[in-house]
Amino acid sequence: MQNLAGTDQFDESTGAGEAGQPHTFTVRNAVRHLHDEYRERTACWVYKAGDDSGKPLLEIRFSASQRYPAPSDKDANGSTVRYPVGLYAQVGRDGADLFFQCPTIAASKDAYIGDTKYVKAELSASKAQLRGDSIDKDRMVILNSVSREVAREAGCAAQAGLPTAVPNP
């Protein structure tokens, strides 16, 4: 994070979620809410310490997913970089996506998303806000690291395919 932000001091928003419910982000809550509607899922918002712009440096979210994108050899417009992490991982101008195998069961039949085989991890962090020589890889390293913890909490770490170190694309 220090490479991306140019600082080693960060704050996490501990206010309300988008749907107005008060909570802080925890890996346990992320796993509990994988099947919820987008606005009801917990999100991790990280700010540079002292930044009062109201815009987080990065945002991380997790959701249950019925499918994942088909890997392709080349991005059509060259705007993304793919990484050999999980089932599908890519970094683009405004963030990173990572899909990993992780069967999950919806808490109820009324869940927004039913039982699934995959989890999607999203990191929003625009290149314009970041610095350093390895912005793409650094964003994937952060997303992979948090995803490993989510997979561990969800009981699917062995099948998730999330390495301890992110290989080069």
Side-chain angles (χ1 to χ4, degrees):
M1 285 276 291
Q2 184 174 2
N3 291 345
L4 289 173
T7 183
D8 59 359
Q9 307 249 335
F10 302 96
D11 294 321
E12 179 193 354
S13 170
T14 57
E18 288 187 37
Q21 72 279 18
H23 57 66
T24 58
F25 178 86
T26 66
V27 170
R28 178 171 282 153
N29 279 340
V31 171
R32 282 186 191 151
H33 295 281
L34 287 172
H35 296 268
D36 292 353
E37 189 174 346
Y38 182 83
R39 292 176 47 84
E40 294 174 8
R41 286 183 222 132
T42 59
C44 177
W45 292 295
V46 178
Y47 298 84
K48 286 184 185 180
D51 181 357
D52 57 1
S53 70
K55 294 183 180 182
L57 178 67
L58 59 87
E59 175 182 324
I60 302 173
R61 290 182 183 263
F62 293 89
S63 61
S65 182
Q66 301 285 1
R67 60 190 62 83
Y68 61 94
S72 62
D73 292 335
K74 187 176 178 185
D75 177 34
N77 61 10
S79 64
T80 63
V81 177
R82 295 239 313 115
Y83 283 85
V85 176
L87 295 168
Y88 176 89
Q90 63 89 30
V91 176
R93 184 175 57 102
D94 293 322
D97 295 319
L98 169 61
F99 290 80
F100 57 94
Q101 187 169 342
C102 188
T104 60
I105 298 172
S108 75
K109 65 179 181 175
D110 298 325
Y112 183 72
I113 299 171
D115 299 352
T116 65
K117 295 181 181 177
Y118 314 107
V119 169
K120 178 182 183 183
E122 303 171 73
L123 181 143
S124 299
S126 174
K127 273 188 171 181
Q129 291 182 274
L130 307 173
R131 59 177 63 186
D133 296 334
S134 58
I135 292 172
D136 288 342
K137 186 164 185 180
D138 290 344
R139 289 186 291 177
M140 185 54 65
V141 166
I142 292 167
L143 189 57
N144 180 67
S145 178
V146 179
S147 295
R148 285 174 47 82
E149 290 303 310
V150 167
R152 184 190 55 72
E153 178 70 27
C156 62
Q159 63 201 58
L162 302 171
T164 56
V166 173
N168 289 324

